[in-house]
Amino acid sequence: MSGSAPLRVQRHDDYVLAALNSPEKRNAIDQELIDALHSLCAELEEQPRTLVLCGAEGFFASGADIAQLRERRAADALKGINLRAFQRINELPMPVIAVVSGYALGGGAELAYAADIRIGTPTLKVGNPETGLGIIAGAGAGWRLRELVGEPLAAEILLAGRVLGAEESLRAGLITHLEENFEAALARAEKIAGRIASLDPAATQASKRVLRAPRAAHPQIDLDEQSVLFESPEKTRRMTEFLEKKKSR
């Protein structure tokens, strides 16, 4: 791992740990980081593993790189530079776990929203202050945040710039665990990644597809995914093992 790389990546048997690595600018999201995220997504699409995302030095991401953002024009907005990367992360085959500590603002918050599971620390500050900079939260918050915390709270975050602390984020369901510090939060994420690794990868991937599907796709997608799994040798093996263990008790 290079210390100057925008994304420090550690590959484990059960999961991949990726840390945003620009602490001198509070891990602001710039084009170099976006390119690194796309590269990592390509790897995880080819070889699916759980992704654990965090920020170097105990904080997540303060937002997009404002110096770069200031120079972008309409054509850049239509490219969806950050949105496309975050959408790709959200659509990875296996779960994505974000360890969200310190500032997760603007684009940093939207990157956290793209994860399947979020774990926080007491220093967490999360929100979308984009309207104060003359833009919208255009990389997923406009629809994803409403699904995560409900429309009334999403409206106050997006329209009034409300920033949530750790306890508020836990109550709202934006994070599902609140740990005492970054190390404990990372340990929790690694434990969850290990639990996921013990499950059937095909069933986990199917469950994620069903979970992410629009309401109109149900119940047919549930039936289609289950029909494939019902023919799986792994389903037969795991159920046989379960029944044999039950019989031996």
Side-chain angles (χ1 to χ4, degrees):
M1 297 188 302
S2 170
S4 61
L7 195 64
R8 292 192 287 114
V9 180
Q10 294 179 341
R11 295 166 179 85
H12 302 268
D13 291 339
D14 293 345
Y15 65 96
V16 170
L17 173 63
L20 282 61
N21 187 39
S22 301
E24 71 283 355
K25 53 181 182 180
R26 293 183 174 177
N27 298 331
I29 297 168
D30 58 15
Q31 186 63 57
E32 191 178 11
L33 175 61
I34 291 295
D35 293 343
L37 288 171
H38 276 298
S39 179
L40 179 58
C41 284
E43 175 187 331
L44 294 174
E45 289 159 356
E46 184 69 24
Q47 298 177 305
R49 276 178 289 177
T50 294
L51 172 62
V52 177
L53 270 176
C54 66
E57 297 194 8
F59 52 86
F60 195 66
S62 60
D65 186 309
I66 302 302
Q68 288 188 5
L69 204 57
R70 184 181 60 180
E71 302 308 313
R72 292 178 182 171
R73 295 295 181 261
D76 299 302
L78 292 173
K79 291 176 185 176
I81 294 170
N82 288 4
L83 184 146
R84 302 299 179 199
F86 300 168
Q87 188 68 10
R88 196 171 180 184
I89 288 168
N90 181 257
E91 293 174 355
L92 284 172
M94 291 291 283
V96 178
I97 305 169
V99 176
V100 195
S101 185
Y103 288 113
L105 300 174
E110 291 181 296
L111 176 56
Y113 302 157
D116 299 292
I117 299 167
R118 283 161 296 280
I119 301 167
T121 73
T123 62
L124 176 61
K125 298 291 183 185
V126 59
N128 292 94
E130 282 89 343
T131 53
L133 295 171
I135 59 174
I136 67 169
W143 76 89
R144 199 167 278 136
L145 186 57
R146 178 178 57 195
E147 296 171 353
L148 292 172
V149 302
E151 188 164 342
L153 182 54
E156 190 171 354
I157 293 169
L158 294 173
L159 304 181
R162 178 175 173 181
V163 174
L164 301 184
E167 291 289 349
E168 292 174 303
S169 297
L170 183 63
R171 289 195 297 270
L174 190 56
I175 59 174
T176 51
H177 298 280
L178 178 56
E179 300 294 340
E180 61 183 355
N181 54 43
F182 174 76
E183 290 73 19
L186 184 57
R188 169 77 72 168
E190 291 171 333
K191 183 177 180 180
I192 294 173
R195 187 189 315 150
I196 291 168
S198 72
L199 308 174
D200 177 20
T204 299
Q205 292 176 45
S207 294
K208 181 166 177 174
R209 288 192 294 269
V210 169
L211 181 63
R212 294 294 181 210
R215 180 65 182 85
H218 299 281
Q220 192 58 50
I221 188 173
D222 306 68
L223 302 177
D224 292 341
E225 293 287 359
Q226 194 76 299
S227 70
V228 173
L229 293 170
F230 269 24
E231 297 293 331
S232 164
E234 184 65 7
K235 169 248 188 181
T236 302
R237 185 192 72 79
R238 284 176 176 261
M239 289 191 175
T240 300
E241 184 179 274
F242 174 85
L243 291 170
E244 289 175 349
K245 283 183 179 178
K246 187 177 180 181
K247 191 186 299 183
S248 66
R249 288 173 187 165

